[in-house]
Amino acid sequence: MTSPKPLTGIRVLELARILAGPWAGQLLADLGADVVKVERPGAGDDTRTWGPPWVDRPDGSHLAAGYFNATNRGKRSIEVDLESPDGQTTIRKLAAHADVVIENFKVGGLKKYGLDYASLSAVNPRLIYCSVTGFGQDGPYAHRPGYDFMIQGMSGIMSLTGEPDGEPLKTAVAYADVFTGLYSSNAILAALQGRTLTGRGCHIDMALLDTQVAVIGNQAMVYLLTGRPPPRTGNAHTSIVPYQVFPTADGHIIIACGNDSQFRKLCGLLGTDWADDPAYATNPARVANREVLVPLLADVTRTWTKADLLAGFERVGVPAGPINTLDEVFADPQIIHRGMVLDLPEPEARGGKVPMLRTPIVIDGEAQVAPTAPPRLGQHSSEVLSDPAWGFRES
């Protein structure tokens, strides 16, 4: 018998769109929460039209963009006009029976509708209200809209990404949004636990800029300890050598030696005596002499094929790996074994299913993933608005 998921019985009202807020909502849905996504009548979440690619119907028309499907699994969709008095009444009624509200309107944007934290917590003092914005609820930038790309630039991560003589680069995934969604869900889980102690809800203030600065991590410490911004180093590591991309006879691989023992094993496989040379025997020495050591290493690695070198490193215990394209990722036996891709049923989609990536969370051997595909716009309006758990009478 399958155990109930951790958030079974928790009700989440999602007044969010695009990525960061919906990402948090999807994770809560994966963990068992009933997440009701409120969408604009006739239009819905902006990302429904952010295609191609699309999830298509059998007749070739579009069901929704792949972008929307990436972040709205397991939710129920209702259409509500927040600008209308009836819509506002509906949201207040839903909030009265919710455990969590997630919203990503501009600061103060919901106050004019009476749907801000102060208004809804007066109706439901146990409500946990998570606001996601670009810059937070206060400060000189609080009024500004925030988008992932500009946040990556402002946070400093782009100054660290790219080749030393190239232009700064963003990541290919909207990591400011994704990380903010993850931190938001973490904060919500903490607030749910905190509510068991206090009996009251709270207002969570999540900002994309705060989050992206926070995840700079060890690179931030380089600046905080030295007063000097770390330079862009391409695929190299500022504090570990060898820890970067190396050439082979038929492509490139990653070598990631995290300690001196691994470096000695690397040298043994490659047939060199560098591990006995004081200039390279320790990691601090290798970092100091990287300009000499890395070309020496590259001259040897390029005489091996990728397959032979990776097999050799695995045999002796040196961390190394390929640089996969996505087709190679999803053909990888480890990814297949772990079931990272799954098909969720959707009767209106071509083939009757939608391919999804599951959450990476596994509890007691069970992958935590919602069993339903992302909802069609307004698919559950009648169902939710007659659900006694949300304060409505059955029709």
Side-chain angles (χ1 to χ4, degrees):
M1 181 178 178
T2 303
S3 301
K5 288 191 174 181
L7 297 185
T8 297
I10 296 296
R11 291 185 289 275
V12 178
L13 187 61
E14 184 183 293
L15 307 178
R17 61 199 186 280
I18 314 296
L19 184 51
W23 195 266
Q26 178 171 262
L27 180 54
L28 300 178
D30 282 335
L31 292 170
D34 178 11
V35 180
V36 171
K37 183 177 183 69
V38 177
E39 302 192 67
R40 291 172 296 164
D45 190 309
D46 296 2
T47 61
R48 285 185 178 274
T49 61
W50 283 15
W54 307 93
V55 174
D56 287 333
R57 293 184 173 91
D59 64 4
S61 62
H62 301 323
L63 190 59
Y67 200 115
F68 175 84
N69 279 265
T71 189
N72 286 290
R73 176 179 57 246
K75 303 175 186 178
R76 297 196 285 174
S77 170
I78 64 174
E79 293 179 277
V80 178
D81 181 3
L82 299 187
E83 297 183 1
S84 73
D86 287 346
Q88 294 157 19
T89 298
T90 297
I91 297 302
R92 279 191 283 272
K93 190 165 188 177
L94 290 165
H97 293 82
D99 296 287
V100 178
V101 166
I102 303 173
E103 63 90 7
N104 65 347
F105 283 71
K106 293 179 182 178
V107 173
L110 288 175
K111 186 174 183 179
K112 60 185 176 182
Y113 304 135
L115 303 177
D116 56 318
Y117 172 66
S119 300
L120 294 186
S121 64
V123 174
N124 179 2
R126 290 175 56 80
L127 183 66
I128 294 161
Y129 190 105
C130 180
S131 296
V132 179
T133 58
F135 300 97
Q137 297 295 302
D138 51 32
Y141 302 160
H143 65 284
R144 296 184 185 180
Y147 288 90
D148 179 274
F149 191 5
M150 57 184 284
I151 295 297
Q152 288 197 40
M154 295 179 71
S155 68
I157 189 64
M158 286 181 63
S159 75
L160 306 173
T161 307
E163 294 297 331
D165 56 352
E167 68 178 14
L169 292 176
K170 70 178 181 65
T171 60
V173 174
Y175 277 144
D177 280 330
V178 170
F179 273 123
T180 302
L182 290 173
Y183 272 103
S184 296
S185 60
N186 199 34
I188 289 166
L189 296 177
L192 286 168
Q193 172 60 21
R195 191 177 67 177
T196 67
L197 304 175
T198 67
R200 296 191 61 83
C202 61
H203 188 196
I204 298 169
D205 174 8
M206 295 300 308
L208 270 67
L209 183 59
D210 292 356
T211 298
Q212 188 64 72
V213 169
V215 299
I216 293 174
N218 64 294
Q219 292 283 43
M221 292 302 296
V222 172
Y223 170 73
L224 294 175
L225 291 173
T226 68
R228 297 187 299 274
R232 292 195 300 279
T233 56
N235 287 316
H237 195 290
T238 56
S239 306
I240 309 173
V241 174
Y243 199 98
Q244 64 188 77
V245 172
F246 283 91
T248 68
D250 56 350
H252 293 82
I253 67 168
I254 293 170
I255 299 175
C257 281
N259 57 52
D260 298 337
S261 173
Q262 292 169 353
F263 181 68
R264 180 168 292 277
K265 293 174 182 177
L266 176 148
C267 291
L269 178 71
L270 298 183
T272 76
D273 59 0
W274 296 324
D276 297 320
D277 187 330
Y280 312 125
T282 66
N283 184 67
R286 292 192 295 276
V287 171
N289 294 291
R290 74 165 73 225
E291 299 302 326
V292 176
L293 177 61
V294 169
L296 290 175
L297 271 169
D299 285 343
V300 178
T301 62
R302 64 168 46 97
T303 67
W304 293 63
T305 66
K306 286 191 295 184
D308 287 346
L309 191 52
L310 289 173
F313 282 146
E314 182 169 3
R315 186 172 62 252
V316 301
V318 173
I323 302 171
N324 289 332
T325 57
L326 288 189
D327 57 328
E328 293 170 321
V329 170
F330 294 122
D332 188 291
Q334 182 69 18
I335 299 300
I336 294 172
H337 175 82
R338 296 288 289 179
M340 286 303 299
V341 178
L342 68 160
D343 293 324
L344 295 181
E346 171 48 78
E348 290 201 16
R350 180 181 294 163
K353 58 188 180 182
V354 178
M356 303 288 298
L357 292 179
R358 72 163 174 85
T359 173
I361 300 172
V362 178
I363 300 176
D364 286 339
E366 182 180 354
Q368 301 298 298
V369 60
T372 58
R376 300 183 294 277
L377 178 60
Q379 179 180 349
H380 304 95
S381 291
S382 297
E383 178 181 298
V384 171
L385 299 181
S386 61
D387 187 342
W390 285 92
F392 296 91
R393 295 181 180 178
E394 295 185 58
S395 55

PDB file of all heavy atoms in Angstrom, residues 6-18:
ATOM      1  N   PRO A   6       3.600  13.524   1.697  1.00  0.00           N
ATOM      2  CA  PRO A   6       3.802  14.368   2.874  1.00  0.00           C
ATOM      3  C   PRO A   6       2.837  15.537   2.994  1.00  0.00           C
ATOM      4  O   PRO A   6       2.480  15.930   4.119  1.00  0.00           O
ATOM      5  CB  PRO A   6       5.243  14.859   2.708  1.00  0.00           C
ATOM      6  CG  PRO A   6       5.898  13.838   1.859  1.00  0.00           C
ATOM      7  CD  PRO A   6       4.846  13.328   0.936  1.00  0.00           C
ATOM      8  N   LEU A   7       2.404  16.129   1.880  1.00  0.00           N
ATOM      9  CA  LEU A   7       1.548  17.310   1.945  1.00  0.00           C
ATOM     10  C   LEU A   7       0.080  17.002   1.652  1.00  0.00           C
ATOM     11  O   LEU A   7      -0.704  17.908   1.360  1.00  0.00           O
ATOM     12  CB  LEU A   7       2.059  18.386   0.978  1.00  0.00           C
ATOM     13  CG  LEU A   7       3.454  18.936   1.274  1.00  0.00           C
ATOM     14  CD1 LEU A   7       3.792  20.084   0.330  1.00  0.00           C
ATOM     15  CD2 LEU A   7       3.582  19.397   2.730  1.00  0.00           C
ATOM     16  N   THR A   8      -0.307  15.742   1.743  1.00  0.00           N
ATOM     17  CA  THR A   8      -1.715  15.382   1.559  1.00  0.00           C
ATOM     18  C   THR A   8      -2.575  16.174   2.544  1.00  0.00           C
ATOM     19  O   THR A   8      -2.280  16.232   3.743  1.00  0.00           O
ATOM     20  CB  THR A   8      -1.911  13.875   1.785  1.00  0.00           C
ATOM     21  OG1 THR A   8      -1.173  13.157   0.797  1.00  0.00           O
ATOM     22  CG2 THR A   8      -3.384  13.497   1.687  1.00  0.00           C
ATOM     23  N   GLY A   9      -3.621  16.804   2.046  1.00  0.00           N
ATOM     24  CA  GLY A   9      -4.513  17.608   2.887  1.00  0.00           C
ATOM     25  C   GLY A   9      -4.173  19.076   2.926  1.00  0.00           C
ATOM     26  O   GLY A   9      -4.969  19.881   3.425  1.00  0.00           O
ATOM     27  N   ILE A  10      -3.005  19.468   2.400  1.00  0.00           N
ATOM     28  CA  ILE A  10      -2.619  20.883   2.350  1.00  0.00           C
ATOM     29  C   ILE A  10      -3.206  21.502   1.084  1.00  0.00           C
ATOM     30  O   ILE A  10      -3.070  20.963  -0.014  1.00  0.00           O
ATOM     31  CB  ILE A  10      -1.087  21.045   2.359  1.00  0.00           C
ATOM     32  CG1 ILE A  10      -0.504  20.537   3.674  1.00  0.00           C
ATOM     33  CG2 ILE A  10      -0.693  22.506   2.123  1.00  0.00           C
ATOM     34  CD1 ILE A  10      -0.939  21.318   4.896  1.00  0.00           C
ATOM     35  N   ARG A  11      -3.863  22.656   1.238  1.00  0.00           N
ATOM     36  CA  ARG A  11      -4.495  23.346   0.114  1.00  0.00           C
ATOM     37  C   ARG A  11      -3.703  24.607  -0.231  1.00  0.00           C
ATOM     38  O   ARG A  11      -3.445  25.444   0.638  1.00  0.00           O
ATOM     39  CB  ARG A  11      -5.952  23.684   0.443  1.00  0.00           C
ATOM     40  CG  ARG A  11      -6.839  22.453   0.541  1.00  0.00           C
ATOM     41  CD  ARG A  11      -8.301  22.831   0.740  1.00  0.00           C
ATOM     42  NE  ARG A  11      -8.537  23.377   2.071  1.00  0.00           N
ATOM     43  CZ  ARG A  11      -8.780  22.651   3.156  1.00  0.00           C
ATOM     44  NH1 ARG A  11      -8.797  21.328   3.079  1.00  0.00           N
ATOM     45  NH2 ARG A  11      -8.992  23.218   4.323  1.00  0.00           N
ATOM     46  N   VAL A  12      -3.343  24.717  -1.516  1.00  0.00           N
ATOM     47  CA  VAL A  12      -2.520  25.831  -1.997  1.00  0.00           C
ATOM     48  C   VAL A  12      -3.288  26.577  -3.075  1.00  0.00           C
ATOM     49  O   VAL A  12      -3.763  25.974  -4.043  1.00  0.00           O
ATOM     50  CB  VAL A  12      -1.176  25.322  -2.570  1.00  0.00           C
ATOM     51  CG1 VAL A  12      -0.347  26.491  -3.110  1.00  0.00           C
ATOM     52  CG2 VAL A  12      -0.402  24.543  -1.511  1.00  0.00           C
ATOM     53  N   LEU A  13      -3.395  27.881  -2.922  1.00  0.00           N
ATOM     54  CA  LEU A  13      -4.036  28.751  -3.905  1.00  0.00           C
ATOM     55  C   LEU A  13      -2.931  29.498  -4.639  1.00  0.00           C
ATOM     56  O   LEU A  13      -2.213  30.309  -4.057  1.00  0.00           O
ATOM     57  CB  LEU A  13      -4.979  29.727  -3.205  1.00  0.00           C
ATOM     58  CG  LEU A  13      -5.858  30.617  -4.088  1.00  0.00           C
ATOM     59  CD1 LEU A  13      -6.792  29.784  -4.945  1.00  0.00           C
ATOM     60  CD2 LEU A  13      -6.646  31.599  -3.217  1.00  0.00           C
ATOM     61  N   GLU A  14      -2.769  29.207  -5.930  1.00  0.00           N
ATOM     62  CA  GLU A  14      -1.678  29.797  -6.711  1.00  0.00           C
ATOM     63  C   GLU A  14      -2.199  30.942  -7.571  1.00  0.00           C
ATOM     64  O   GLU A  14      -2.917  30.740  -8.535  1.00  0.00           O
ATOM     65  CB  GLU A  14      -1.025  28.732  -7.595  1.00  0.00           C
ATOM     66  CG  GLU A  14       0.180  29.254  -8.362  1.00  0.00           C
ATOM     67  CD  GLU A  14       0.772  28.212  -9.292  1.00  0.00           C
ATOM     68  OE1 GLU A  14       1.306  27.212  -8.781  1.00  0.00           O
ATOM     69  OE2 GLU A  14       0.677  28.389 -10.519  1.00  0.00           O
ATOM     70  N   LEU A  15      -1.809  32.154  -7.210  1.00  0.00           N
ATOM     71  CA  LEU A  15      -2.130  33.360  -7.982  1.00  0.00           C
ATOM     72  C   LEU A  15      -0.856  33.812  -8.696  1.00  0.00           C
ATOM     73  O   LEU A  15      -0.497  34.981  -8.669  1.00  0.00           O
ATOM     74  CB  LEU A  15      -2.640  34.470  -7.053  1.00  0.00           C
ATOM     75  CG  LEU A  15      -3.796  34.129  -6.114  1.00  0.00           C
ATOM     76  CD1 LEU A  15      -4.137  35.334  -5.241  1.00  0.00           C
ATOM     77  CD2 LEU A  15      -5.015  33.693  -6.897  1.00  0.00           C
ATOM     78  N   ALA A  16      -0.169  32.871  -9.327  1.00  0.00           N
ATOM     79  CA  ALA A  16       1.141  33.146  -9.903  1.00  0.00           C
ATOM     80  C   ALA A  16       1.190  32.644 -11.338  1.00  0.00           C
ATOM     81  O   ALA A  16       0.442  31.753 -11.728  1.00  0.00           O
ATOM     82  CB  ALA A  16       2.242  32.476  -9.071  1.00  0.00           C
ATOM     83  N   ARG A  17       2.105  33.229 -12.097  1.00  0.00           N
ATOM     84  CA  ARG A  17       2.252  32.849 -13.491  1.00  0.00           C
ATOM     85  C   ARG A  17       3.738  32.898 -13.857  1.00  0.00           C
ATOM     86  O   ARG A  17       4.570  33.275 -13.042  1.00  0.00           O
ATOM     87  CB  ARG A  17       1.449  33.786 -14.402  1.00  0.00           C
ATOM     88  CG  ARG A  17       1.882  35.234 -14.321  1.00  0.00           C
ATOM     89  CD  ARG A  17       0.818  36.184 -14.856  1.00  0.00           C
ATOM     90  NE  ARG A  17       1.294  37.553 -14.900  1.00  0.00           N
ATOM     91  CZ  ARG A  17       1.350  38.359 -13.847  1.00  0.00           C
ATOM     92  NH1 ARG A  17       0.975  37.919 -12.666  1.00  0.00           N
ATOM     93  NH2 ARG A  17       1.794  39.596 -13.966  1.00  0.00           N
ATOM     94  N   ILE A  18       4.054  32.512 -15.058  1.00  0.00           N
ATOM     95  CA  ILE A  18       5.408  32.422 -15.624  1.00  0.00           C
ATOM     96  C   ILE A  18       6.161  31.262 -14.954  1.00  0.00           C
ATOM     97  O   ILE A  18       5.784  30.112 -15.159  1.00  0.00           O
ATOM     98  CB  ILE A  18       6.192  33.745 -15.549  1.00  0.00           C
ATOM     99  CG1 ILE A  18       5.322  34.935 -16.002  1.00  0.00           C
ATOM    100  CG2 ILE A  18       7.448  33.651 -16.391  1.00  0.00           C
ATOM    101  CD1 ILE A  18       4.879  34.915 -17.438  1.00  0.00           C
TER     102      ILE A  18
END
